[in-house]
Amino acid sequence: MNKIDTIIFDLGGVLIDWNPEYVFLDEFNGDRKKMQWFFDNICTSDWNENQDAGYPLQQATEDLVNQFPEYERLIRLFYGNWEQMLGVAIEGTVKILDAFVKNKNYKVVALTNWSAETFPIALERFEFLHWFEGIIVSGEEKTRKPFKEIYQITLDRFNIEAQSSIFIDDNLRNIEAANALTINGIHFKSPKELIQQLKAFNIHI
C-alpha cells in the first residue's frame, strides 16, 4: 500500500448536515411517505444534481414549474428556502479534519457536489471550510461526482497521486468512481466509524 499523503473530504453528509426534509417535512405535515413521493417524482435527486453540475437554479425551478404547475409552490420552496436545509456541522468529523490539518504530513482538500450559487452561503457559515488547501466545487467546474472528469480535476489541480490519497464520501457510488481511478476510498457512515476505517491505512486520529 502506498503511503497516504492526501485526504480528500466530501462536504455534505460528511462535514455538513444537509437535508431537504428540514423544509419539506412541515410542508407535508410530518407525512414522510408523501414527502418521499415528492422527492422521488418532482424535486428529485437527479434534478438537484443537475444544478450541482452548474445548471442555473432559477432556470431549473422554472423548468420544473412548467412541467408540474400544480406543485409550483413546493417547487419554489426548494431553492427559495435552501438555507433552511443547511443544518449544523457534523462536529465529530470536523475534529478529524482539524487533526489532519494540524498534521503537516497530509495535504487536505475537499471535493463536493454543490451548486456554485449556494456554496458561498456555506463558506460564510462554516469556518472550517477555510481550513482546506483548496475545494473543488462541482458547480464551478460544470461537472460532478461520480463522473471521472471531476476526480481528475481534483488530482491535477492539487498535484495528488491517486494511490497516495484517501477520498471520504457518504455516497458509495462516488467512492466506487474514485476507486476506478485508483483513489483509495472510505464510505463514510459516522465519525466514530471513520476513525476505525482510517486505521486500516495506518492512520490513527
Side-chain angles (χ1 to χ4, degrees):
M1 181 185 295
N2 286 31
K3 186 179 186 306
I4 301 299
D5 60 19
T6 303
I7 310 296
I8 308 168
F9 281 88
D10 174 36
L11 298 179
V14 174
L15 282 156
I16 298 170
D17 175 25
W18 179 86
N19 197 327
E21 80 167 40
Y22 294 150
V23 169
F24 284 96
L25 194 57
D26 282 347
E27 291 295 323
F28 286 97
N29 299 312
D31 189 328
R32 291 185 177 278
K33 188 174 181 181
K34 286 184 178 179
M35 179 184 70
Q36 193 57 52
W37 182 92
F38 179 76
F39 293 148
D40 289 343
N41 294 277
I42 310 298
C43 289
T44 65
S45 293
D46 285 346
W47 173 75
N48 183 50
E49 284 193 329
N50 196 41
Q51 285 67 266
D52 286 347
Y55 196 70
L57 303 187
Q58 185 174 349
Q59 186 60 55
T61 300
E62 298 308 325
D63 291 348
L64 213 55
V65 167
N66 288 336
Q67 190 176 354
F68 302 105
E70 67 274 29
Y71 292 101
E72 178 175 1
R73 188 183 68 82
L74 292 172
I75 291 167
R76 294 194 186 282
L77 278 179
F78 197 93
Y79 292 120
N81 287 26
W82 182 88
E83 284 191 56
Q84 294 174 35
M85 300 180 192
L86 200 57
V88 298
I90 300 171
E91 291 297 342
T93 323
V94 175
K95 289 179 181 177
I96 295 169
L97 168 64
D98 185 44
F100 277 120
V101 170
K102 288 175 176 173
N103 186 329
K104 302 305 180 185
N105 293 320
Y106 297 101
K107 181 183 298 185
V108 187
V109 301
L111 168 58
T112 184
N113 278 359
W114 206 303
S115 165
E117 294 178 60
T118 57
F119 192 64
I121 298 168
L123 275 176
E124 188 173 325
R125 188 176 297 187
F126 300 105
E127 172 60 28
F128 63 81
L129 293 179
H130 300 274
W131 299 351
F132 291 102
E133 182 168 321
I135 301 175
I136 299 295
V137 178
S138 62
E140 295 173 359
E141 307 300 333
K142 310 297 186 187
T143 184
R144 62 172 176 81
K145 299 174 287 185
F147 300 122
K148 176 181 178 180
E149 182 182 7
I150 200 161
Y151 297 94
Q152 199 60 55
I153 288 169
T154 306
L155 297 176
D156 292 346
R157 189 163 301 168
F158 301 117
N159 193 26
I160 298 168
E161 184 71 38
Q163 293 175 341
S164 299
S165 68
I166 296 174
F167 176 50
I168 302 163
D169 196 298
D170 64 319
N171 189 322
L172 183 58
R173 173 198 70 178
N174 297 338
I175 293 296
E176 290 170 344
N179 290 161
L181 292 171
T182 71
I183 298 169
N184 298 288
I186 290 179
H187 184 204
F188 178 85
K189 294 179 181 175
S190 72
K192 186 176 181 179
E193 190 167 335
L194 175 57
I195 289 170
Q196 295 304 314
Q197 290 166 308
L198 286 167
K199 289 178 181 176
F201 295 92
N202 201 29
I203 297 172
H204 300 271
I205 297 295

